[in-house]
Amino acid sequence: MTLKSEVLDRVSGSHLSRLPELAISISQFDLQEEIRLLRNEESWQRETGRSSKTLVKQQDFRIVLVLMKAGTRLTEHRANARISIHAVLGRIRVHLRDVGKMVELSVAGLLALDFSIPYDVEALEESAFLLTISWPEDYLTGDDDPALASSQVPSSGSTKR
């Protein structure tokens, strides 16, 4: 594994000015431990009933772990990218508004969506999922890019590492 100091040396000057330690070449996570840590976040205690953490942040690629309390909803999101939603705990229902379809995912369920498909995520029970976002090669995703904000990565105030 790469040490944090090596990572900072390697990515200094990179356009990923926020959380450069997330841009390492090789990452490994214990998702059960990450979920446990999310339950301790302030955002988990708020009425939104949701907490999230960016696990990987590359120029064209993100992985975000989202934890949701039963009965909560992540309202309409849309990414100018291909995404996947991979359930790792509980059961979620993904509402695909433009196609009038709902997809239920339980542990190990995976859904892939093409560019700009709006979706909502509803937690049918306490649930966690990995949201993977892959932007096209020619799509700039620097922190100062206003288009990144429109991609609407779920945020609950806890997307730190």
Side-chain angles (χ1 to χ4, degrees):
M1 287 302 243
T2 305
L3 298 175
K4 189 173 184 175
S5 59
E6 293 174 29
V7 172
L8 294 176
D9 289 344
R10 199 171 54 214
V11 297
S12 61
S14 167
H15 75 283
L16 294 174
S17 58
R18 289 186 58 230
L19 307 172
E21 66 273 15
L22 299 182
I24 61 176
S25 299
I26 300 170
S27 302
Q28 181 177 359
F29 301 93
D30 177 339
L31 293 178
Q32 290 179 340
E33 177 64 8
E34 296 293 345
I35 290 168
R36 187 190 69 74
L37 293 171
L38 281 176
R39 286 189 184 113
N40 293 325
E41 293 287 332
E42 177 191 333
S43 56
W44 183 245
Q45 307 308 320
R46 286 190 238 139
E47 62 189 53
T48 59
R50 182 175 67 241
S51 192
S52 63
K53 182 177 189 178
T54 300
L55 300 176
V56 176
K57 181 179 180 182
Q58 298 286 349
Q59 177 182 4
D60 59 348
F61 183 73
R62 301 281 191 283
I63 300 176
V64 180
L65 176 62
V66 181
L67 178 64
M68 298 175 67
K69 291 182 179 176
T72 60
R73 196 167 185 143
L74 180 66
T75 56
E76 189 169 317
H77 281 69
R78 174 191 313 248
N80 294 325
R82 289 187 173 97
I83 69 164
S84 70
I85 299 171
H86 179 188
V88 294
L89 173 74
R91 258 180 352 129
I92 59 175
R93 182 176 293 139
V94 182
H95 301 263
L96 305 170
R97 293 182 182 266
D98 283 3
V99 294
K101 185 176 180 179
M102 291 185 294
V103 177
E104 273 195 32
L105 298 174
S106 55
V107 175
L110 177 66
L111 176 66
L113 301 177
D114 208 352
F115 294 91
S116 299
I117 295 176
Y119 64 94
D120 295 354
V121 179
E122 174 186 7
L124 302 175
E125 55 191 61
E126 183 179 304
S127 301
F129 63 93
L130 291 171
L131 174 66
T132 303
I133 306 163
S134 178
W135 284 277
E137 187 175 326
D138 60 345
Y139 188 79
L140 175 66
T141 61
D143 289 331
D144 55 354
D145 181 11
L148 178 59
S150 70
S151 69
Q152 296 186 356
V153 175
S155 176
S156 64
S158 176
T159 55
K160 60 184 183 242
R161 174 106 180 114

